[in-house]
Amino acid sequence: MSHQTILVTGGAGYIGSHACVELLQAGFNVAVVDNLGNSKYESLRRVQQITGKTLTFYQADIRDKAALTEIFAKESPSTVMHFAGLKAVGESCEKPLLYYNNNVYGTMILLEVMDESNVRQLVFSSSATVYGQTSLTQYSEDFPLGPINPYGRSKAMIEDILRDLSASDKINPNRSPWKVALLRYFNPIGAHESGLIGEDPNGIPNNLMPYVAQVAIGKLPQLSVFGDDYPTPDGTGIRDYIHVVDLVKGHINAITALNSDAFKDGGCKAYNLGAGKGYSVLEIIAAFESVTGQKINYKISPRRAGDLAEYFANPALAFKELNWKVEKSLNDIVADTWNWQSKNPQGYN
Ligand code: NAD
Ligand code: UFG
């Protein structure tokens, strides 16, 4: 295992940088491909500071086939961890072509290069947003898919492409089979416990946790709670928040599974990565106030378009087949977010 190279697309980003730390600490070689469109090289400098190990960085776009082909030839990775993508739901509604180009077309190019380089092992960043609306609030992998925005559809399209690719193994018996883990993340938040790496959103954050953290340090005046009239115990939205370090550990376990007998004939399988328990917006605010001792100034605002009242993961399959479950509590998540935010009020700047 120690000499396996993992090629990490989007490795300079929020989740990718945390994955690089875990990969290096687990003894893998790491090669990162990132266009730095939504990140800074500083995150990777800090990854190397945390681990005391080095990684190889290529500033390249996954849509650049020639560059990618050269990188694969140099690195001979055993596995690709594919984090590169655009992820803002609102922006995807405004600029769907950008999202389909970057996420779907970008993944197509990556898969072509993987195929041509005989690298057919992939861990893909999917999202709970691929699920359709159901009357149930706890989502299992076999639920019907039905995303409701271009971002979510870009993830579902990529999942379809990967299932088709895996199915094509049967009629291409002379090549090594595709081994694919589709990891459907619930709500990743938190930061590495060192406080050296974390989420560094551009401009005003879209998501709850970075917004709360910026209110707590006084960078933003007030949080808007989007709706308190949902059919939940306190009326605010409920989500399954997962510590980013727990999340990326699930990726290491996925590599182990793909390398095991369970995948010896190939396969493409989806796994929920979530805690299996949800918290409301008001519970998140209360946890933040109690861990940090800071008062969070908030007001109740109208619902945000496209938000569901409540959903959380059924993580049983990941436990059974990846031997994975979350280990960190909500208090750990909040403490690590606060540690990162207070040590780096301007993010990586
Ligand atoms: P991020 O924006 O911090 O990281 C993505 C990285 O990919 C960035 O460093 C960006 O520069 C890079 N990138 C984007 N397009 C690229 C391209 N064409 N070529 C090369 N590099 C490119 O986002 P993140 O939160 O770390 O998310 C990582 C992955 O996880 C994404 O695919 C995202 O859709 C998925 N995901 C995230 C969440 C979440 O809430 N953060 C939830 C579910 C799924
Ligand atoms: N919320 C607020 N105020 C804010 C921001 C959010 O009240 O300023 C509420 C939302 O209404 C929701 C909860 O906090 O009830 C969480 O919202 P986030 O924006 O943090 O997260 P979402 O569940 O909306 O979306 C996240 C990612 C998506 C991903 C989805 C499913 O942002 O990319 O999880 O995985 F698709």
Side-chain angles (χ1 to χ4, degrees):
M1 182 241 261
S2 59
H3 37 260
Q4 265 187 55
T5 295
I6 311 300
L7 190 135
V8 183
T9 75
Y14 169 47
I15 302 171
S17 58
H18 289 81
C20 289
V21 168
E22 295 305 315
L23 284 166
L24 289 168
Q25 285 176 341
F28 292 100
N29 299 324
V30 173
V32 169
V33 176
D34 199 303
N35 65 6
L36 301 183
N38 195 38
S39 54
K40 301 196 175 68
Y41 178 75
E42 176 63 13
S43 64
L44 293 175
R45 195 192 64 72
R46 295 190 188 185
V47 164
Q48 298 174 89
Q49 182 185 345
I50 291 167
T51 57
K53 297 185 176 182
T54 55
L55 54 74
T56 310
F57 174 62
Y58 298 93
Q59 183 169 354
D61 194 294
I62 55 166
R63 292 166 293 186
D64 182 343
K65 190 166 181 182
L68 220 48
T69 301
E70 209 174 292
I71 294 165
F72 271 73
K74 253 191 220 148
E75 295 293 337
S76 306
S78 68
T79 305
V80 174
M81 257 187 209
H82 179 30
F83 296 100
L86 299 174
K87 61 165 183 177
V89 172
E91 187 187 45
S92 80
C93 297
E94 231 172 275
K95 301 175 183 169
L97 293 178
L98 175 68
Y99 272 67
Y100 292 125
N101 185 294
N102 194 79
N103 294 3
V104 182
Y105 171 71
T107 301
M108 290 284 311
I109 299 299
L110 172 68
L111 294 172
E112 284 176 15
V113 173
M114 288 178 68
D115 197 44
E116 288 160 16
S117 310
N118 278 307
V119 178
R120 297 195 187 82
Q121 191 153 300
L122 177 71
V123 179
F124 173 61
S125 298
S126 189
S127 170
T129 199
V130 298
Y131 289 116
Q133 300 197 17
T134 86
S135 55
L136 297 173
T137 50
Q138 187 173 28
Y139 292 180
S140 297
E141 289 82 355
D142 56 3
F143 275 23
L145 304 188
I148 58 163
N149 55 61
Y151 164 69
R153 275 190 282 274
S154 77
K155 291 290 177 187
M157 286 176 189
I158 295 167
E159 284 203 2
D160 277 335
I161 291 167
L162 288 166
R163 279 184 286 266
D164 285 343
L165 207 44
S166 178
S168 75
D169 282 337
K170 278 191 224 68
I171 38 185
N172 293 285
N174 296 327
R175 64 172 195 217
S176 63
W178 283 89
K179 302 179 180 183
V180 180
L182 309 171
L183 302 184
R184 294 179 181 155
Y185 309 164
F186 281 68
N187 287 50
I189 56 174
H192 191 263
E193 64 179 9
S194 63
L196 284 168
I197 57 171
E199 188 170 10
D200 181 19
N202 268 332
I204 295 176
N206 296 310
N207 300 115
L208 178 65
M209 201 60 170
Y211 206 108
V212 172
Q214 294 196 11
V215 171
I217 54 156
K219 213 170 149 183
L220 291 170
Q222 189 177 49
L223 171 74
S224 293
V225 174
F226 297 142
D228 70 346
D229 55 353
Y230 283 108
T232 60
D234 67 19
T236 66
I238 292 180
R239 294 290 180 277
D240 185 334
Y241 296 96
I242 170 174
H243 195 297
V244 63
V245 172
D246 276 336
L247 181 81
V248 297
K249 284 182 174 161
H251 293 59
I252 310 280
N253 291 26
I255 295 182
T256 305
L258 295 179
N259 283 332
S260 77
D261 271 358
F263 275 86
K264 77 173 174 342
D265 300 322
C268 175
K269 241 180 140 171
Y271 297 97
N272 286 341
L273 295 185
K277 173 179 170 37
Y279 289 100
S280 73
V281 177
L282 294 182
E283 285 174 313
I284 294 290
I285 294 172
F288 219 90
E289 289 182 335
S290 110
V291 169
T292 67
Q294 305 285 319
K295 191 94 195 81
I296 304 298
N297 181 22
Y298 71 87
K299 66 164 193 286
I300 305 296
S301 300
R303 292 181 180 190
R304 181 172 67 179
D307 276 354
L308 297 178
E310 172 175 10
Y311 62 89
F312 53 96
N314 176 350
L317 191 67
F319 182 64
K320 184 167 165 249
E321 296 189 3
L322 304 182
N323 189 28
W324 173 90
K325 63 175 171 49
V326 301
E327 278 159 10
K328 298 194 185 265
S329 68
L330 181 59
N331 277 359
D332 296 331
I333 293 179
V334 171
D336 290 337
T337 301
W338 181 237
N339 185 36
W340 154 254
Q341 183 71 62
S342 44
K343 283 184 177 156
N344 305 273
Q346 306 305 330
Y348 290 115
N349 280 325

